[in-house]
């Protein structure tokens, strides 16, 4: 899979430094784009449609939040990581509401950025592989579409009705298809997808458990831990310990 990365920051040292570091330490991006202001970032996103965007909050012409609003109106939804030197929760709230997947305060080490973007690149590759695998198994095209939509939006507050609307069928029929072809209900499948992504975050050891729960679509840490244990046979903390022992 070809994956494109955009780095938008008005500080030359940060923008070029991250770009050089990423190019030096990984080859998972076939194209790395650069933008020094918000307007240029919008133009790059509309033209090249990068998969992952590192986006500074405060930039000339248009802010990072304004960039997010415009590309959302354009129907584009890359993975966005907000970079900010402003430790103000209101920025984080606005960015997350607009769909940001991460919010990172400067100064941040290039190695931490590298780890983050490569994990997201792996996630994109994982999603693509799952979609291709499901097509090869001969599943109903509607189920494939539903699975693809879930893979791309698992961290949102997804409902059976929303996914059914997306693939233009009734919720009842989609529920039947899931039980017939995937041998599980919609909620069970969604939870399994979320837990698999939680495992990736736990292996990173970058976020606290409650942060991971929120990032993958759960509003309650206790419920997340209960679901995780049901699927994996152990708690998130036990899984993390085992990951680092292994």
């Amino acid at each position: 899979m070809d994956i494109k990365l955009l780095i938008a920051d008005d500080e030359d040292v940060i923008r070029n430094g991250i770009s050089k570091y990423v190019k030096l330490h990984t080859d998972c991006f076939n194209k790395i784009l650069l933008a020094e202001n918000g307007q240029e970032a919008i133009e790059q996103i509309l033209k090249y449609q990068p998969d992952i965007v590192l986006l500074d909050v405060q930039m000339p012409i248009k802010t990072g939040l304004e960039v997010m609003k415009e590309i959302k109106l354009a129907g584009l939804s890359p993975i966005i990581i907000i970079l900010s030197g402003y430790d103000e929760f209101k920025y984080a709230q606005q960015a997350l509401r607009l769909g940001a997947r991460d919010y990172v305060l400067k100064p941040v080490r290039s190695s931490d950025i590298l780890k983050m973007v490569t994990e997201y690149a792996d996630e994109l590759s994982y999603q693509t592989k799952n979609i291709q695998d499901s097509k090869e198994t001969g599943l109903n095209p509607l189920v494939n579409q539903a699975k693809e939509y879930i893979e791309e939006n698992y961290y949102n507050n997804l409902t059976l009705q929303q996914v059914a609307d997306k693939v233009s069928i009734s919720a009842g029929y989609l529920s039947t298809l899931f039980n017939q072809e995937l041998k599980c209900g919609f909620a069970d499948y969604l939870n399994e997808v979320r837990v698999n992504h939680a495992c990736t975050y736990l292996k990173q050891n970058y976020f606290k458990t409650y942060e991971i729960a929120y990032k993958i679509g759960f509003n309650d840490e206790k419920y997340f831990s209960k679901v995780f244990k049901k699927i994996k046979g152990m708690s998130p903390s036990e899984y993390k310990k085992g990951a680092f022992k292994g």
Side-chain angles (χ1 to χ4, degrees):
M1 176 184 180
D2 291 336
I3 301 176
K4 297 184 288 291
L5 169 68
L6 169 64
I7 303 168
D9 196 298
D10 61 323
E11 295 183 58
D12 293 343
V13 173
I14 293 176
R15 184 178 66 254
N16 295 325
I18 292 175
S19 175
K20 290 177 182 176
Y21 192 87
V22 171
K23 286 179 181 177
L24 184 64
H25 291 89
T26 183
D27 58 359
C28 65
F29 299 103
N30 71 309
K31 194 174 190 66
I32 297 181
L33 308 160
L34 302 177
E36 62 182 28
N37 61 61
Q39 183 58 44
E40 189 177 348
I42 291 171
E43 292 170 0
Q44 296 272 43
I45 293 170
L46 293 178
K47 183 176 181 179
Y48 296 105
Q49 298 189 16
D51 304 282
I52 303 171
V53 177
L54 282 172
L55 190 61
D56 187 22
V57 165
Q58 294 294 345
M59 289 186 293
I61 307 180
K62 294 198 174 183
T63 68
L65 296 179
E66 289 172 331
V67 171
M68 292 184 69
K69 290 175 183 177
E70 290 211 20
I71 64 174
K72 190 173 183 179
L73 287 173
L76 300 176
S77 55
I79 292 173
I80 294 179
I81 303 167
I82 287 289
L83 299 174
S84 176
Y86 298 82
D87 189 5
E88 298 182 21
F89 185 60
K90 66 177 182 179
Y91 285 120
Q93 285 181 312
Q94 291 178 61
L96 292 170
R97 277 200 298 267
L98 288 168
R101 296 285 295 278
D102 270 305
Y103 185 89
V104 182
L105 289 175
K106 299 177 183 177
V108 59
R109 293 180 299 181
S110 293
S111 58
D112 290 334
I113 292 293
L114 174 68
K115 182 177 181 181
M116 193 175 292
V117 297
T118 52
E119 290 290 350
Y120 280 126
D122 289 343
E123 178 181 316
L124 289 169
S125 297
Y126 171 78
Q127 290 175 2
T128 302
K129 182 179 182 300
N130 272 359
I131 293 164
Q132 290 173 342
D133 288 348
S134 66
K135 289 177 180 178
E136 289 171 3
T137 61
L139 291 175
N140 186 305
L142 293 172
V143 176
N144 284 328
Q145 290 176 39
K147 288 181 66 178
E148 181 175 353
Y149 185 72
I150 291 169
E151 286 289 350
E152 293 173 351
N153 297 275
Y154 67 90
Y155 50 88
N156 291 321
N157 186 26
L158 280 185
T159 64
L160 175 65
Q161 186 64 57
Q162 287 173 330
V163 180
D165 289 343
K166 189 67 180 179
V167 298
S168 303
I169 59 175
S170 71
Y173 183 41
L174 180 60
S175 178
T176 299
L177 287 176
F178 264 70
N179 281 292
Q180 286 179 346
E181 302 206 21
L182 301 180
K183 309 304 178 186
C184 67
F186 168 80
D188 289 335
Y189 180 79
L190 175 59
N191 282 338
E192 187 171 338
V193 170
R194 286 172 168 171
V195 165
N196 285 336
H197 286 286
C199 289
T200 299
Y201 284 123
L202 289 166
K203 288 176 183 176
Q204 292 176 18
N205 199 28
Y206 188 79
F207 299 102
K208 294 184 172 73
T209 301
Y210 76 89
E211 292 175 320
I212 293 174
Y214 178 75
K215 285 173 70 62
I216 63 170
F218 287 93
N219 295 320
D220 181 85
E221 181 186 356
K222 289 183 180 178
Y223 181 62
F224 160 62
S225 296
K226 180 179 178 181
V227 171
F228 189 98
K229 188 166 186 178
K230 179 182 178 182
I231 293 174
K232 295 297 181 181
M234 64 184 77
S235 68
S237 58
E238 289 170 338
Y239 182 90
K240 184 188 291 187
K241 289 177 183 176
F244 284 96
K245 282 180 181 178

